[in-house]
Amino acid sequence: MAQKTIKNLMQGAVWLTLASLLSKILSAVYRIPFQNMVGDIGFYIFQQVYPIYGIAMTLALVGFPVIVSRMIAEEKDVTKREAIFQFSLQVMFGVGIVFFLLIFFGADFIARVMGDYHLTILIRVISFAFLLMPFLASLRGFFQGHEQMMPTAVSQTIEQLVRVVIIIAGATGAVALGWNLYMTGAVAMSGAVIGGLGAFGTLLYFYWRKKPEKIVFTKKWASWAFTKQFLAQSIAVCTTSAMLILFQLLDSFQVYRLMRSSGINATAAKELKGIYDRGQPLLQLGLVLCMGLALAIVPMITAAKARGETRELRRSVLLIIKLTILLSGAATLGLIAIMRPTNQMLFETAAGTGVLQVFILSLFLSSLIVSMSSILQGFGNMAGPAVAVCIGLIVKLATNAILVPRFATYGASWSTVIGLGATLIICYILLKRQLPIPFIRKNMIGWALLAFLAMIIVPVAWETFWPLTSRIGSAVQALFGALIGGIIFFYCLIKFNLLTKRDLVFMPFGSKLLWLTTKIRRR
């Protein structure tokens, strides 16, 4: 029975990992054609309101379902499991209604605080996503609590696919009909609600077809003690999971308004914010691999801790930190080196390249935060990472207020880096207390820096001496620069012994990488 349970959990983890990575790729990729259709001002309009949807999605996909599934999995009595499902649905429904009412009826106030009252219609459209959130979260938590991860994975994928189709099709139609950019943004935002309905229908299909047990409702209401416990645990998980969304939300409330108050006219401020927002899909795409590694290795940490295998536990922690430093460091420096051609290839112009080069430093910091917070959660520390994120948000809020009026979007980029840096320092301190061992070998630092330097030589020289300035030329330069840099970096990793054979086993296509490693070392 135990072997069957472990097998189910491992298969479920694979499905959830694949669905999460696919969803993040879709969420990042669709923004590129959308920006090309509506321009930087249209992109600014969409991105101003997107964090509100991001919060609803986090509640429906990560925060609440994790807590519901944990409570159901820990309870063996069927009647008590039914009560947990009913009570959690009541709490989530109350949260959803409160969010909906505050956002829908407070849309005008929210838009004015953001500095652009025309955003009201978009905010009202996205508020309806919070009405779907309780049902999506409760059903996902119900299935996960019964070790059935497929419904969550499929519903998440369908939700994103439907949303992306609606956004692209809606934007295409709105532009063709000559609608203004705010109406176009509202149509795009409706994709979140329609996608949520698609996910809800998918979950209902799985329930009626493969329900692990029938849900029976009674007239009982959740106690205050249950409500407090449920919300406290959910808030801790949600805060950590929605870290980048919350940073983006602060930018929505501060950056445009602070630029306007510093004397920048409305049109220029919207364009600058839209250009600054180009960094979001680049950041998301860069995080995909690092988050995949975290999702893959954290179960090893949890299992090793449960078995009391201290040596294996330490090795898993050191491995995930080393891989995160090497891969996210390479992705960050590589993107900085090819940012100008990448910017023009994806977004038509090279405007804001310097701003994006500063902003993409967030990739390295946020990757380490994701890895360290995942390790801490594997140790059972749920509150620590959430506190670290909150402190980072406070730092971001303060530095935005200081830097944006002086340096516009350069200031916003630096404030994001500083805020994430504060979060990372706290996560590092917490992890060091949990596991007082050196996380990085001293001799690794020098070789890693040498590998990073070797990787960017060709792209930097190309950009310095022979830049291709057309959009097609930029695409050629960006893609070949990334390919050449990646090959050089991988060669250095193997040649400098930064990755051992045991490390490569845990990476995608591990067997092929081992074969290639053997060939390189023989030469």
Side-chain angles (χ1 to χ4, degrees), residues 90-118:
Q90 289 170 357
V91 175
M92 288 185 288
F93 190 72
V95 171
I97 288 292
V98 169
F99 268 105
F100 168 73
L101 293 174
L102 288 175
I103 295 171
F104 185 85
F105 291 104
D108 184 69
F109 173 76
I110 295 170
R112 290 183 184 277
V113 173
M114 288 181 175
D116 186 353
Y117 69 91
H118 295 296

Side-chain angles (χ1 to χ4, degrees), residues 424-443:
L424 178 59
I425 290 170
I426 296 167
C427 285
Y428 175 80
I429 293 170
L430 292 172
L431 187 57
K432 199 72 176 175
R433 288 180 179 176
Q434 191 79 53
L435 204 64
I437 58 173
F439 296 135
I440 307 171
R441 300 195 317 268
K442 290 182 179 179
N443 63 336

Side-chain angles (χ1 to χ4, degrees), residues 282 286 325-343 345 353 356-357 360-361 363-364 451-461 463 477-489:
L282 296 174
I325 289 173
L326 292 174
L327 296 179
S328 65
T332 301
L333 289 175
L335 274 171
I336 290 173
I338 62 169
M339 184 58 76
R340 198 280 307 163
T342 300
N343 191 13
M345 173 184 72
T353 294
L356 298 178
Q357 286 174 320
I360 211 63
L361 292 171
L363 172 56
F364 181 71
F452 291 145
L453 178 62
M455 176 192 70
I456 64 172
I457 286 175
V458 172
V460 169
E463 177 64 17
Q477 183 178 339
L479 295 174
F480 278 94
L483 179 63
I484 294 167
I487 291 171
I488 293 172
F489 181 69

